[in-house]
Amino acid sequence: MPGFIPDILTTIAMIGCAYTVTGAVLAGRWRAPPPPRRDARAWPSITMLKPLYGPEPDLAAKLNGFLDQDYPGAIAMLCGVADPADPALASVPARAVRMVSAARHGSNAKVSNLVNMSGAADGDILILSDSDMIVPRDYASRVVAALEAPGVGAVTLPYAGLGETGGWSRMAAAGISWGFLPGVMVGLATGMAKPCMGSTIALRRETLDAIGGFARFGDLLADDHAIGAAVREQGLSVAVPPLIVTHGCTETGLRALVAHELRWNATVRMLDPAGYAGSLVTHPLAWALIAWIAGAGGWVLAAAIACRLILAARIDYVVGRRTAPLWWLPARDLLSFGIAVAAFFTRRVDWRGARLHMADDGRMTAETETH
């Protein structure tokens, strides 16, 4: 093997280490200040939109968490399903409104659900979020305060992972907390990321109307990203306040974990092919291992492992819990790298019972309809 190849691989690994250390430093910024206090009459009303599908662990507790808020204004919740026999309905709080409608508005079942719910949402502010999210009691206050800043059209939030169903779910959570979350932090700090995530999208009713309503996004797989882009087209920003919420991971096996993460990676690759290719450098442990196999010194591998362990420990400290055993990190990192590479060759993904074909323009077609 030519002698320059180990040097190139070592350089890539060191760039990844620098990225990792930057993420560890930036993590300290995500300490939320106390939420502002105002007169109760000044707080706008909120409608929480919750598209549901199928059973989930602790779903009732998660939904109640969005209602049990230290928020002076009125909060309502709409929970929508497409099937009246959907088991998720059993977990809907009594205080929430159940909406059942099978009307389809494109290939994206979640967006169809949102379209069906949005007509009944009468809050000043709409907050949509995935059903697997867990939020603190000051969530609503912080989101509304961020939305009311000048020039802000929407608010979104980064999230950490929490394993809820055993070892594989903790491995999935580690991928979020130790991989995805630092990437968001670095991307925001450098201005390279313009996120809008399904963890939270808060916007005013007039903003939603101005961007064409939810129906505009009915055939898009990355609907959350597209909503953010549409808000920015109006000359408004998408704010990301210093609050990290939690994604409950429920994977029970390797196959489910890979299918979920492959869909996510393929979506990111579809949205930004060049940026996604560049993001491969953010996997220093994998590059260091390849460099070591190619003949580089063992110090490269040791440095990459040390940097990644520091970042994982730092993230766990910031979110206030151990995501997974730190000794899992090498296996988790190599799995993440493998999935990242596989996403370059993925054109079909599984999503909630449907097999979807992904087009280069971000649109999707369902090969098997969800029942």
Side-chain angles (χ1 to χ4, degrees):
M1 180 177 294
F4 65 87
I5 292 181
D7 293 337
I8 293 175
L9 294 170
T10 297
T11 299
I12 296 173
M14 289 301 98
I15 293 173
C17 285
Y19 161 87
T20 299
V21 172
T22 300
V25 172
L26 292 174
R29 298 184 181 183
W30 291 83
R31 289 284 183 174
R37 296 187 178 277
R38 300 188 307 187
D39 184 273
R41 291 169 295 179
W43 290 85
S45 60
I46 296 173
T47 298
M48 303 282 188
L49 299 179
K50 283 289 186 179
L52 305 179
Y53 178 84
E56 293 183 24
D58 299 321
L59 179 57
K62 292 171 185 173
L63 296 176
N64 275 303
F66 282 83
L67 292 170
D68 296 333
Q69 291 287 305
D70 294 328
Y71 183 75
I75 297 180
M77 176 183 285
L78 298 179
C79 296
V81 297
D83 184 351
D86 194 312
L89 287 174
S91 299
V92 174
R95 295 171 289 173
V97 176
R98 296 166 173 80
M99 296 197 65
V100 180
S101 176
R104 292 301 294 261
H105 305 274
S107 300
N108 190 319
K110 171 188 167 184
V111 172
S112 291
N113 209 339
L114 289 169
V115 173
N116 295 333
M117 284 189 284
S118 61
D122 56 6
D124 300 319
I125 292 174
L126 307 181
I127 302 180
L128 56 127
S129 56
D130 293 338
S131 58
D132 49 20
M133 302 310 301
I134 304 167
V135 297
R137 290 184 62 88
D138 60 357
Y139 165 83
S141 298
R142 294 186 186 280
V143 168
V144 170
L147 186 60
E148 293 189 332
V152 173
V155 173
T156 195
L157 296 174
Y159 52 93
L162 173 66
E164 297 185 305
T165 55
W168 285 111
S169 69
R170 296 189 72 188
M171 184 68 84
I176 294 173
S177 294
W178 300 345
F180 164 77
L181 181 56
V184 173
M185 293 174 174
V186 174
L188 287 170
T190 59
M192 297 178 66
K194 296 185 181 298
C196 190
M197 297 165 281
S199 55
T200 288
I201 302 177
L203 68 174
R204 301 174 187 84
R205 163 62 74 174
E206 54 267 30
T207 303
L208 179 62
D209 293 340
I211 64 175
F214 292 124
R216 171 180 174 181
F217 313 101
D219 286 320
L220 298 178
L221 181 59
D223 52 276
D224 45 6
H225 174 85
I227 290 172
V231 169
R232 295 184 184 99
E233 289 173 359
Q234 301 296 313
L236 301 170
S237 66
V238 178
V240 188
L243 175 64
I244 300 171
V245 293
T246 301
H247 169 89
C249 299
T250 59
E251 288 82 354
T252 57
L254 177 60
R255 182 175 180 177
L257 186 156
V258 171
H260 185 185
E261 296 188 7
L262 189 59
R263 174 175 62 83
W264 183 83
N265 276 268
T267 302
V268 177
R269 184 264 306 159
M270 176 185 64
L271 294 171
D272 183 12
Y276 183 79
S279 71
L280 290 181
V281 77
T282 65
H283 297 268
L285 196 153
W287 289 109
L289 178 61
I290 297 171
W292 178 67
I293 293 173
W299 66 268
V300 179
L301 188 57
I305 292 174
C307 289
R308 288 291 296 151
L309 286 172
I310 290 171
L311 174 61
R314 179 64 167 162
I315 292 294
D316 284 356
Y317 173 77
V318 169
V319 301
R321 64 177 175 274
R322 175 67 66 207
T323 304
L326 288 177
W327 64 268
W328 289 10
L329 184 139
R332 175 64 260 192
D333 277 11
L334 295 178
L335 177 61
S336 295
F337 183 73
I339 293 173
V341 172
F344 283 102
F345 309 98
T346 300
R347 292 296 181 273
R348 290 175 174 82
V349 295
D350 294 314
W351 188 38
R352 292 197 164 188
R355 185 73 169 165
L356 305 174
H357 174 76
M358 304 168 62
D360 291 337
D361 63 356
R363 298 191 176 274
M364 63 182 182
T365 56
E367 298 180 359
T368 303
E369 291 295 328
T370 301
H371 296 288

